[in-house]
Amino acid sequence: MRKRTLLDGLLAGCLSLAVLWAASRATTDVPFAPVALAERAIRAAPGGLATFSIEQLGHSAVRLLTVGAIAALLAIAALLAHVTARPGTARPWLAGGLLAAAFAAALAIGPQSVAWAPALIGCAAAGSVYALALGWLAGNPAGVAVGGDDAPSVTRRQALARIGAGAVAFAVGGTLLGRLVARRGPNTEIALHRPEQAAEVPIRAPFPTVAGISPEVTAVADHYVVDIDIDDPVVQASSWELRVSGEVGHPMVLSFDELQSRFAIVEQYSVLTCVSNEVGGDLVGNSRWAGVRLADVLHGAGIGARAVDVVFGCADGYTVGVPVERVMQPYALLAISQNGQPLAQEHGFP
């Protein structure tokens, strides 16, 4: 009996997560709970462990962590079916409510901000689907009647197969729906101000053409990406704001358009490389970046003499501090474009 209850909870949990996945693909307002768990684990991991995982597994490390988070939530779904059941009586709605609460808790500990109204609706819907599936499986061990008294019954094996097929259908359908409605990314069709200072190129011989060597300027599609996010946050330029506060005389809140119109747009070629890049590695790229000098913004905010670090807070919950003397250098830009085009989502749009 215990094995059967655990199996019921596992299968119902698969269907519930599939529904939550479909909702997360259709709208960015409903995050996928296992991804939130995995992203929190990434940020909580010691730097040495994270570096070791990247070096040994590459991008597969993030995928394996996500699979682990899915397995953990499925284990919770299986256990809830067992621990909430009384002798001979399942209590699917109690288990479903607890599972919905577990999904919400996963979103709460995740690093990214959450639009709670739609997110809670998504968690409640997933918990309800779990309860319905669990009740269907536990309601009649021999079979679930369909239609009238003389209608054929659905065997337990058939019920399990149908729930499994439903989970696959929701997972695949949700993925296709997300691609069809293209709701997973921001609108990058935005107006960019022309640079007041174009990128300077020294007078020299043309860049050599050698078989196998990378081009002098890295295309956006070829530029390396090292990301701690599994699902990059979707930030629209129309709602984005830059807040400058702390040791400044004039705190500022700037929209994307105000940032461009208030400060001069400059352009420069810059090489970016990952700290983990090995000699001859591909985690390096050179592009033509345009943006505003960070020093101009800080001077506009009246940075104080006591300021030591500039701390950046990002939409995905990531924070990093940089010494003031570094960000005041003329090469330090708040970039808004790469190679003449708005930043790609994976490069921090907008």
Side-chain angles (χ1 to χ4, degrees), residues 1 197 217 287:
M1 179 66 70
Q197 179 179 328
V217 178
S287 291

Side-chain angles (χ1 to χ4, degrees), residues 21-265:
W21 169 259
S24 72
R25 296 301 94 184
T27 172
T28 58
D29 290 334
V30 181
F32 190 48
V35 168
L37 278 180
E39 290 184 337
R40 172 52 64 194
I42 290 172
R43 286 160 173 76
L49 176 60
T51 301
F52 175 80
S53 301
I54 293 173
E55 290 176 348
Q56 298 299 317
L57 301 173
H59 290 292
S60 297
V62 174
R63 300 187 185 99
L64 289 174
L65 188 59
T66 306
V67 170
I70 292 173
L73 287 174
L74 287 178
I76 291 174
L79 288 173
L80 285 175
H82 176 69
V83 299
T84 60
R86 291 176 175 173
T89 305
R91 293 189 288 178
W93 288 102
L94 174 59
L98 291 174
L99 184 62
F103 290 157
L107 300 183
I109 67 174
Q112 298 191 24
S113 59
V114 178
W116 278 109
L120 289 177
I121 292 174
C123 292
S128 298
V129 168
Y130 170 84
L132 290 170
L134 188 60
W136 187 40
L137 288 170
N140 185 353
V144 180
V146 179
D149 295 337
D150 299 328
S153 64
V154 177
T155 67
R156 180 171 180 76
R157 181 173 296 180
Q158 290 173 329
L160 292 173
R162 291 185 182 183
I163 289 179
V168 173
F170 271 109
V172 174
T175 301
L176 295 177
L177 176 63
R179 294 180 179 179
L180 179 64
V181 299
R183 297 289 295 277
R184 297 307 305 173
N187 175 22
T188 59
E189 298 296 326
I190 58 174
L192 295 175
H193 291 209
R194 294 180 61 86
E196 296 183 19
Q197 179 179 328
E200 297 181 358
V201 179
I203 300 175
R204 52 169 172 73
F207 191 73
T209 302
V210 180
I213 193 173
S214 57
E216 182 178 19
V217 178
T218 307
V220 174
D222 296 331
H223 201 285
Y224 79 94
V225 175
V226 175
D227 204 339
I228 64 171
D229 297 315
I230 299 169
D231 259 351
D232 291 325
V234 176
V235 181
Q236 303 294 350
S238 57
S239 60
W240 177 88
E241 288 182 338
L242 173 66
R243 297 179 177 270
V244 186
S245 60
E247 288 291 333
V248 295
H250 315 289
M252 294 189 303
V253 179
L254 301 170
S255 68
F256 186 73
D257 287 335
E258 289 171 339
L259 179 68
Q260 295 186 82
S261 51
R262 181 165 176 177
F263 302 100
I265 303 296

